[in-house]
Amino acid sequence: MFQNKLDFKQEFEKRLSEKYGRSVPDSHITERYDILGEMVRDYGGYHWRNCREDIAENGRKQCIYFSMEFLIGRLLVNNMQNLGIYKVAKEGLSELGIDINELEDMEPDAGLGNGGLGRLAACFLDSSASLGYPVHGNTIRYEYGFFRQKFVDGKQVELPDQWLSDGFVFEVRKPKHAVEVKFYGNAETYLRPDGTYALRTVNARSIRAVPYDVSVVGYRNGVANTLRLWSAEPSEENLPTDCSFNEYLSTLKELCFGLYPDDSTEHGRLLRLRQQYFLVSAGLQSCMRGHMRAFGTLDRFADHYVFQLNDTHPILAIPEMMRLLMDEYGYGWDEAWGVVQKSIAYTNHTVMPEALERWPVNYVQTLLPRIYMIIEEINRRFNAYMAEKGVNQDKRYQMQIIKDGQIHMTNMAIFAAFSVNGVAKIHTDILKNYTFKNLYELFPAKFNNKTNGVTHRRWLLYSNERLASLITSRIGDEWITKPEKLEDFRKFADDEKTQKAVMEVKAANKKDFARLVTDRYGIAIDPKGVFDTQIKRLHAYKRQLLNLFHIMYLYQKLKENPSAFKMTPRTYIFGAKAAPSYEYAKRIIELILAVADVINGDDEANGFMKIAFVENYGVTLAEHIIPASDISEQISTAGKEASGTSNMKLMMNGAITLGTLDGANIEIADRAGRENEIIFGLTAPEVQKLVDAGTYNPWDIYNGDARVKNVMDSLFTGPWALKNGDRFRMIFDEVMNHGDQYFILKDFDAYCKACDESEAFYLDKARWAKACIVNIAMSGHFSSDRTIEEYNRDIWHLTKLKVDADE
């Protein structure tokens, strides 16, 4: 390890010469980036080794966090900062004539995730390592990520995310830990040497799962955990005889091709199922094999491992753990079930019953026949349990794992897991009282809440250095490792010097982002105006459409009477990807881009408003947008958003929440005070009441509110529809003729008033600055450090690693 600038420079030059045969002046920027990345990776490797040794020597329990996605962003700066070597590297490179910022820009965002689910998982790994808990992620090594979004002719186009084209310097291939994952085949009974009968899978198609490990380094504490990426390769010993090798290779490549295959086709749905099983089977086999090697038995496996299932995708871990324990290690059903019930915990991320994962029986029967047999037996025993508890037939039917030709994965997870948690207080309450009401009545002790969090080190300390420095100048730097200490910043809420300093930081960040928008998109935006931000996955319930309808209304109002129109200049910032098969969401993106073209091209409007829709929104773009944002649009239909995490990141950076009482917005408003946020719209009980009554009719609002009528009509006749009058018919029909499922028009008037309120709020500079400071100060509660401590206290029960941070 290098200890100073001189050591760093010598090591850098030595590696560059050994690997590429180049001196520094002759080297290419890609070679320089690669060498720096290797040095950072290897520096953390010492911590990796020490942590593995500590776990082995002390028999520490570990958590395996199964998630289909980890949106980790760039690692170079994050890891250097966490290791405490950024300054040495920056200065050493400078003396070699290299600008570290240029090397930072060489790193692509890792294509391992898409939205909040994956970013949450990444934050959890960061906090676990920084707190010293042995928590390791498991996911798939997606060769082409989700997709790279490009806007072409005013529409979203999906291109491959070739994030691995130059390799991934932070991963280490571990072929010795490879395992075989089996699909298809059939189960057969055989006689064991001890005279008992057992089942095994034969005639299966084997795939070799090879792990690529990425170290997750904690904040200056000597801890390095692992994010394990599983890649599919041809089996070395069990090549298929029922298909050609080319067909077999094609199947392999599909498994790790990309995140969330198109589920509008049967082939895509089956591929999703194969990915899910591949992940959990590989992860479980690896853990069990390692445990057997260390202890010679799996009797105490649950004392050494806990598996957290992040959403419904990894629920196949339950029957797969049963299969491995029974078929591979000889345990009986009751013994194996006891292990499952002690080691599996489940996190739910949706309150909408239609979004809960269900698999057709014939899919699982064909692809995973032995797994289906186990699920059938779990379902049979669950029915026996319900009969024993006196559950009536109606409720028993609702809670069935297998019914109507489908396997209801969440019902199986709740029956099997020892813990079931929601991710915000309102979300957990809805799970208990609505989504899983019957299951909650049967298993009340399993349910608990763990409000999400985000890592304040990445989203404040590293992404917003100006603000972080200001906070430290006022309260010291203890908040970096103890985010609850941020609350000390609240005592400066009325301090005029601090208010002025916070606003200066925001202004500087806005100038930086305005420059990026101009350079990248050719749009000039006014950093002196309001930056109004909605950055999240494009989905109907998140209501980007409500935001857009209000912008369209303002534009119509301006054009109707330009001389009377008044408004503080405002830039509306959007960042969102729509799933490739989600046509409605893609049409909303098309409408946002069409409205942006009209407004941004209208000189009369430009003095008041602009729209900046960033392309290919991801972690790195978020790190530019969030520190510059004034308003955080969190306007989902109440009761639909599980938690949200962009709301927390924006709060942490001093943005004011303009939102509904949904997800974590409620807890944000409770923490910071309603007077420091702008809350509007229907509440979750009010939404449910309207749904139950079935009396809401969007045409009543259309006919009674001229603003709404004009906006809806403009989908056919407005300047954004001139190229093709029918291009936005789908949006009109979804809102007007399909019942306005997410109550966009019902909340429109309240939203307009909230936007007006935000303008008056912004113009009251002292009140606005105070609210910014209060939000920053109270955001410590929404650090993932707090969330992880709660998971560990109530679910995982891990002990902290004891390693020397200086080794």
Side-chain angles (χ1 to χ4, degrees), residues 756-774:
D756 290 343
E757 183 185 338
S758 74
E759 173 135 349
F761 196 166
Y762 184 78
L763 292 173
D764 186 344
K765 296 301 182 185
R767 183 185 167 213
W768 184 269
K770 177 179 179 179
C772 291
I773 292 170
V774 172

Side-chain angles (χ1 to χ4, degrees), residues 42 62 115 151 181 340 387 494 509 633 664 680 698 702 751 756 767:
D42 295 348
Q62 301 173 77
F151 298 144
V181 177
V340 168
D494 292 306
N509 292 337
E633 296 271 358
F680 77 96
Y702 174 91
Y751 181 63
D756 290 343
R767 183 185 167 213

